[in-house]
């Protein structure tokens, strides 16, 4: 375009200057129309996403959790889609809200499993509210993260029920999912979870709590491939139905966006946990 302007004669240049106000007006109009069109498209997209969220809330469940394997399964046996569930434990500590924002930007869902000691102050409560208002289900991860079988039964009950009470006080509803710290349950805790109307789940794989994977690049590769050779996991644990464990950690927060993209590139759909069958 620059070469064309230099090659123009003086007459052409004069004509160009004479026509410039009209051209600028036309360009401005086109720019305004383009901006308006972009804004309308963005609004339509936001409306569509909002409608999808509302539809998910109104839909009948299409998945269930296999308690024995912790896998997510389609209720309809004919449904052969490759589906994966994302879960985030120890929330909302330092990075949970950022992780929720990343998930929202990627149009992905996850369950945030909460500990009570993170929601005792106003800051933690506001984070919990924000995550919930984004449409992410809140799960129970006990109040203080104990090893459940190592504490008396009355304390097990208190750890689970008091957190449900606290979460309900903050967001207006009780958790529908439960995950025990370290994946360690007892017969008593299982009974309490059932009485509280929650789905109990562990996970199929997760690596961010191992020192070898407390690095965003290494963790990303491990979660996307399902392989963790540094800890002796040479065969891939990635499969349809995988229930992937992550934590509210700096390195996991950094890796999350790429993990979502990498799983989708391999043909996996990230399940909306709002469509998981619950006990209610």
């Amino acid at each position: 375009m620059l070469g064309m302007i230099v090659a123009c004669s003086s007459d052409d240049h004069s004509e160009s200057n004479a026509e410039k106000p009209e051209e600028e007006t036309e360009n401005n109009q086109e720019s305004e129309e383009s901006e308006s069109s972009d804004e309308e498209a963005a609004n339509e997209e936001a409306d569509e996403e909002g409608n999808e969220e509302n539809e998910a809330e109104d839909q009948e469940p299409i998945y269930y959790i296999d308690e024995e394997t912790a896998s997510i399964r389609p209720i309809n046996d004919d449904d052969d889609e490759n589906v994966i569930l994302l879960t985030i434990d120890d929330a909302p500590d330092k990075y949970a809200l950022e992780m929720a924002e990343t998930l929202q930007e990627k149009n992905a869902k996850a369950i945030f499993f909460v500990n009570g000691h993170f929601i005792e102050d106003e800051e933690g409560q506001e984070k919990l509210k924000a995550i919930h208002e984004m449409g992410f289900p809140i799960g129970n991860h006990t109040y203080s993260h104990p090893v459940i079988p190592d504490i008396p039964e009355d304390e097990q009950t208190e750890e689970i029920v008091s957190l449900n009470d606290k979460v309900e006080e903050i967001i207006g509803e009780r958790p529908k999912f439960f995950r025990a710290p370290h994946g360690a349950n007892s017969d008593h805790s299982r009974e309490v979870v059932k009485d509280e109307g929650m789905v109990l789940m562990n996970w199929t794989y997760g690596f961010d709590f191992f020192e070898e994977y407390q690095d965003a690049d290494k963790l990303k590769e491990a979660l996307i491939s399902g392989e963790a050779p540094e800890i002796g996991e040479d065969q891939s644990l990635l499969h349809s139905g995988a229930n992937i464990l992550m934590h509210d950690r700096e390195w996991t927060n950094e890796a999350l966006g790429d993990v979502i993209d990498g799983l989708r590139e391999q043909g996996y759909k990230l399940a909306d946990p709002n469509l998981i069958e619950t006990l209610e």
Side-chain angles (χ1 to χ4, degrees):
M1 184 65 178
L2 179 60
M4 291 174 64
I5 293 173
V6 173
C8 288
S9 67
S10 59
D11 289 342
D12 290 339
H13 184 65
S14 299
E15 289 175 6
S16 176
N17 285 338
E19 293 171 0
K20 189 173 182 181
E22 183 177 347
E23 289 176 355
E24 285 183 348
T25 301
E26 290 175 354
N27 288 338
N28 289 338
Q29 289 176 343
E30 289 175 0
S31 176
E32 290 174 0
E33 289 174 0
S34 176
E35 289 176 0
S36 176
S37 176
D38 290 343
E39 185 176 349
E40 288 177 4
N43 289 336
E44 287 177 4
E45 184 175 348
D47 288 341
E48 287 177 3
E49 290 178 358
N51 288 336
E52 287 178 1
E53 289 181 1
N54 291 334
E55 287 174 5
E57 292 177 0
D58 296 336
Q59 276 185 23
E60 291 294 322
I62 60 176
Y63 309 114
Y64 72 96
I65 298 297
D66 183 331
E67 187 174 319
E68 185 175 344
T69 65
S71 299
I72 182 170
R73 301 294 188 195
I75 293 174
N76 183 352
D77 291 336
D78 295 332
D79 191 345
D80 59 354
E81 67 181 5
N82 291 323
V83 65
I84 286 174
L85 177 65
L86 299 182
T87 62
I88 298 168
D89 286 11
D90 299 351
D93 193 4
K94 295 180 180 179
Y95 304 100
L97 188 53
E98 288 183 42
M99 296 174 81
E101 290 168 351
T102 298
L103 287 159
Q104 190 174 54
E105 289 169 5
K106 298 285 187 180
N107 196 26
K109 295 289 188 182
I111 302 174
F112 283 79
F113 284 97
V114 169
N115 290 123
H117 55 264
F118 291 131
I119 55 174
E120 290 179 335
D121 61 10
E122 184 176 353
E123 181 182 4
Q125 292 172 17
E126 289 303 313
K127 288 179 181 178
L128 180 62
K129 287 179 184 177
I131 293 169
H132 174 255
E133 288 170 1
M134 289 182 196
F136 298 105
I138 304 301
N140 184 319
H141 197 42
T142 72
Y143 203 97
S144 65
H145 206 275
V147 179
I148 287 180
D150 291 350
I151 62 176
E153 290 187 353
D154 60 334
E155 292 183 22
Q156 294 179 29
T157 301
E158 180 68 13
E159 283 284 342
I160 297 168
V161 176
S162 65
L163 178 56
N164 277 357
D165 292 342
K166 187 71 174 178
V167 169
E168 184 177 26
E169 177 186 327
I170 297 168
I171 66 172
E173 61 183 62
R174 300 173 80 79
K176 298 178 181 178
F177 303 101
F178 176 79
R179 173 173 286 157
H182 316 287
N185 288 283
S186 68
D187 290 340
H188 180 73
S189 71
R190 290 177 181 275
E191 192 62 34
V192 173
V193 168
K194 183 178 179 181
D195 290 343
E196 284 289 300
M198 292 186 289
V199 174
L200 184 148
M201 69 169 77
N202 281 337
W203 60 88
T204 60
Y205 76 87
F207 307 122
D208 65 354
F209 50 96
F210 291 100
E211 184 177 354
E212 292 85 349
Y213 294 100
Q214 292 177 8
D215 171 87
D217 289 334
K218 290 182 179 178
L219 177 62
K220 174 180 68 175
E221 182 178 348
L223 289 178
I224 292 173
S225 68
E227 299 175 4
E230 287 85 353
I231 59 171
E233 201 63 68
D234 295 322
Q235 293 186 337
S236 176
L237 299 175
L238 175 63
H239 57 79
S240 182
N243 183 337
I244 299 178
L245 167 66
M246 296 179 285
H247 291 81
D248 182 333
R249 300 287 188 272
E250 181 179 6
W251 47 90
T252 314
N253 179 36
E254 292 175 6
L256 181 57
D258 288 337
V259 169
I260 292 169
D261 292 341
L263 292 171
R264 283 174 167 165
E265 286 169 4
Q266 295 183 80
Y268 289 97
K269 176 182 178 180
L270 305 182
D272 183 348
N274 290 301
L275 297 178
I276 296 175
E277 184 177 50
T278 60
L279 301 185
E280 295 181 353

